């Protein structure tokens, strides 16, 4: 493919914006359009479940860039218009408004769509958290009285439960596993996280997922669990995971399987790339298809995509990184830990709630986790970079 004269980025959140910025930094001077369904200028999503939901940050602080910085990109931002179809041969995107946008190169950065609980259609008081408008509605709901039930034992559910409890809400956290983030962190760390939530007054109801939501005159009134337990609720948050936003690509000819399947340079087909949460790329360090849902990946992968578009591509072989802040705990994870890994504490002490844990599988370091020891976890990550970049992926 010759050097593009025009580039269309579908999705203007962190990954899409970072791609546009990287393209300009690397010398692209052609036409640059960013298409997004959201009405808001690009904003940061991780604080939505923490600082914004708690009311300590307002909307302006979430913005990834100010008006002058966005203007300096010399790019056209098309907001509140959803992509509905892609013609890969012509590299043209059709939108819900009926408009069509074409370019020499297209970057797919449409992110995720949150899953819904059964029985939610037409039921008031049920929330999901993906975008700023979702977070604003949930923030208002936290000021109401009555029990709040958060369904979901992953990072998002645990963070929302912690934030809501900090706001004084009566909170119950529901999950299928034995403890929050058990599948990712394993029994020792997830058990400590469970104790932390209980110490702050969150009721944990684990071992069974939500079967259906019950309502009274159109408003949610309870959550019925699969094991027969019924939890009263005046508000419910569904944090049961998300799916890559790829429905609009059906019929495009792209390979869609838990995301847009790409090569090691994040190319889906000639002239089409994917970046961020929606991209499932070939990781040459592991030999596996990998999709990463975190803010750091969005930024790092964007650099790879921009370079490849401009003819200087290299394989994308990141060390996965994620973080979560809950109450006084700041947890930082390098690599891809699993509940089945061997875990040992290599610095600090679990009882003191300041430690670095090392995860190993088949003699290889798979992850480094720091609990209130961010600097130390980075140092240990540096000592195991080769192993961590070649960690067998947990998603294939």
């Amino acid at each position: 493919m010759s050097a593009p004269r025009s580039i269309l980025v579908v999705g203007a959140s962190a990954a899409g914006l970072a791609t546009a910025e990287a393209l300009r930094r690397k010398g692209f001077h052609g036409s640059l359009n960013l298409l997004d369904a959201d009405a808001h200028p690009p904003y940061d999503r991780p604080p939505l479940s923490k600082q914004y939901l708690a009311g300590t940050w307002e909307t302006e602080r979430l913005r990834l860039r100010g008006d002058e910085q966005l203007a300096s990109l010399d790019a056209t931002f098309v907001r509140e218009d959803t992509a509905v179809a892609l013609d890969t041969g012509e590299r043209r995107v059709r939108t819900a408004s009926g408009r069509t946008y074409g370019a020499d190169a297209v970057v797919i950065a449409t992110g995720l769509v949150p899953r819904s609980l059964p029985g939610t259609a037409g039921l008031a008081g049920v929330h999901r958290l993906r975008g700023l408008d979702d977070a604003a509605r949930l923030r208002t709901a936290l000021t109401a009285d009555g029990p709040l039930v958060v369904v979901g034992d992953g990072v998002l559910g645990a963070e929302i439960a912690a934030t809501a409890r900090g706001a004084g809400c009566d909170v119950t956290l529901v999950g299928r596993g034995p403890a929050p983030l058990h599948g990712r962190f394993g029994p020792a760390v997830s058990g400590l996280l469970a104790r932390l939530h209980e110490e702050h007054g969150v009721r944990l109801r684990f071992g069974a997922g939500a079967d259906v939501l019950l309502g009274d005159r159109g408003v949610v009134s309870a959550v019925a669990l699969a094991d027969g337990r019924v939890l009263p609720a005046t508000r419910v948050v569904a944090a049961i995971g998300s799916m890559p936003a790829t429905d609009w690509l059906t019929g495009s000819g792209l390979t869609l399987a838990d995301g847009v399947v790409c090569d090691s340079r994040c190319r889906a087909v000639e002239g089409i790339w994917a970046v961020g949460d929606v991209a499932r790329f070939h990781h040459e360090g592991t030999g596996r298809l990998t999709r990463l849902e975190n803010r750091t990946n969005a930024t790092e992968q964007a650099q790879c995509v921009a370079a490849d578009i401009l003819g200087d591509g290299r394989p994308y072989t990141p060390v996965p990184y994620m973080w979560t802040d809950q109450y006084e705990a700041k947890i930082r994870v390098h690599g891809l830990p699993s509940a089945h890994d061997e875990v040992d504490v290599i610095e600090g002490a679990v009882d003191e709630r300041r430690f670095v844990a090392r995860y190993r599988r088949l003699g290889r370091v798979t992850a480094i986790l720091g609990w209130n020891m961010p600097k130390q976890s980075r140092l240990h990550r540096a000592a195991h970079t080769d192993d961590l970049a070649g960690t067998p992926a947990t998603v294939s």
Side-chain angles (χ1 to χ4, degrees):
M1 176 180 171
S2 59
R5 293 174 296 177
S6 59
I7 299 174
L8 171 64
V9 182
V10 186
S13 193
L17 177 62
T19 302
E21 291 178 328
L23 286 166
R24 291 304 195 207
R25 281 197 305 271
K26 295 177 185 296
F28 176 68
H29 300 296
S31 171
L32 182 57
N33 291 332
L34 289 91
L35 171 68
D36 200 272
D38 205 314
H40 304 282
Y43 57 89
D44 209 10
R45 294 181 187 270
L48 293 179
S49 60
K50 299 180 283 290
Q51 296 94 335
Y52 181 81
L53 190 58
T56 57
W57 285 20
E58 295 303 326
T59 303
E60 192 62 26
R61 192 167 177 181
L62 295 173
R63 288 193 60 173
L64 290 170
R65 301 291 183 268
D67 290 338
E68 290 185 5
Q69 292 170 300
L70 293 179
S72 70
L73 278 176
D74 189 24
T76 299
F77 285 82
V78 180
R79 300 191 178 96
E80 294 187 85
D81 203 359
T82 304
V84 296
L86 169 66
D87 182 330
T88 56
E90 297 294 327
R91 295 170 198 148
R92 298 175 69 84
V93 172
R94 182 164 51 85
T95 72
S97 69
R99 289 179 288 184
T100 299
Y101 298 88
D104 296 330
V106 175
V107 180
I108 299 167
T110 43
L112 303 171
V113 177
R115 299 179 187 275
S116 298
L117 287 166
T120 60
L123 199 58
V126 182
H127 299 266
R128 299 185 301 177
L129 179 54
R130 175 59 184 166
L132 178 55
D133 292 337
D134 298 327
R137 287 188 288 268
L138 180 55
R139 190 163 93 167
T140 298
L142 295 188
T143 63
D145 294 328
L148 167 70
V149 175
V150 180
V151 181
D153 53 10
V155 172
L156 183 61
E159 287 183 349
I160 292 172
T163 302
R165 187 66 195 124
C169 295
D170 175 349
V171 181
T172 300
L173 179 61
V174 173
R176 294 181 182 276
L181 288 132
H182 178 272
R184 179 172 291 191
F185 293 163
V189 175
S190 68
L192 179 58
L193 194 57
R195 291 196 296 276
L196 181 65
H197 277 274
E198 289 178 325
E199 289 166 2
H200 282 269
V202 174
R203 289 184 297 276
L204 302 182
R205 299 293 182 264
F206 278 70
D211 186 45
V212 68
L213 301 187
L214 306 178
D216 181 16
R217 288 174 288 187
V219 180
V220 68
S221 60
V223 178
L225 303 187
D227 62 2
R229 288 177 289 178
V230 177
L231 309 176
T234 58
R235 299 149 295 166
V236 172
V237 181
I240 54 174
S242 301
M243 302 171 292
T246 58
D247 281 355
W248 68 284
L249 296 169
T250 301
S252 66
L254 299 183
T255 301
L256 307 177
D258 186 36
V260 178
V261 176
C262 305
D263 65 14
S264 62
R265 289 161 172 78
C266 306
R267 288 177 296 195
V269 295
E270 182 72 13
I272 309 288
W273 287 258
V275 65
D277 297 342
V278 76
R280 189 164 178 238
F281 65 97
H282 175 73
H283 193 304
E284 291 192 1
T286 68
R288 306 280 293 277
L289 289 172
T290 303
R291 189 172 63 80
L292 301 173
E293 297 180 13
N294 61 70
R295 179 70 173 78
T296 303
N297 174 69
T299 302
E300 293 180 347
Q301 196 172 32
Q303 314 309 309
C304 170
V305 167
D308 198 58
I309 290 173
L310 300 180
D312 189 29
R314 294 176 177 83
Y316 182 55
T317 55
V319 173
Y321 172 72
M322 61 83 65
W323 75 92
T324 179
D325 296 340
Q326 299 174 39
Y327 311 109
E328 63 273 17
K330 297 185 181 299
I331 303 169
R332 307 292 183 261
V333 183
H334 305 270
L336 290 171
S338 161
H340 304 294
D341 292 348
E342 299 175 10
V343 183
D344 60 330
V345 174
I346 55 177
E347 188 167 349
V350 174
D351 290 344
E352 297 175 3
R353 301 192 180 182
R354 291 189 74 253
F355 63 91
V356 177
R358 177 176 56 194
Y359 288 71
R360 288 185 290 185
R361 191 183 319 147
L362 301 176
R364 189 175 196 170
V365 177
T366 59
I368 297 293
L369 181 148
W371 185 298
N372 287 336
M373 297 188 82
K375 179 180 179 180
Q376 294 85 344
S377 65
R378 287 196 301 271
L379 293 174
H380 287 286
R381 176 246 193 239
H384 296 289
T385 297
D386 289 344
D387 270 4
L388 295 174
T391 298
T394 56
V395 178
S396 63

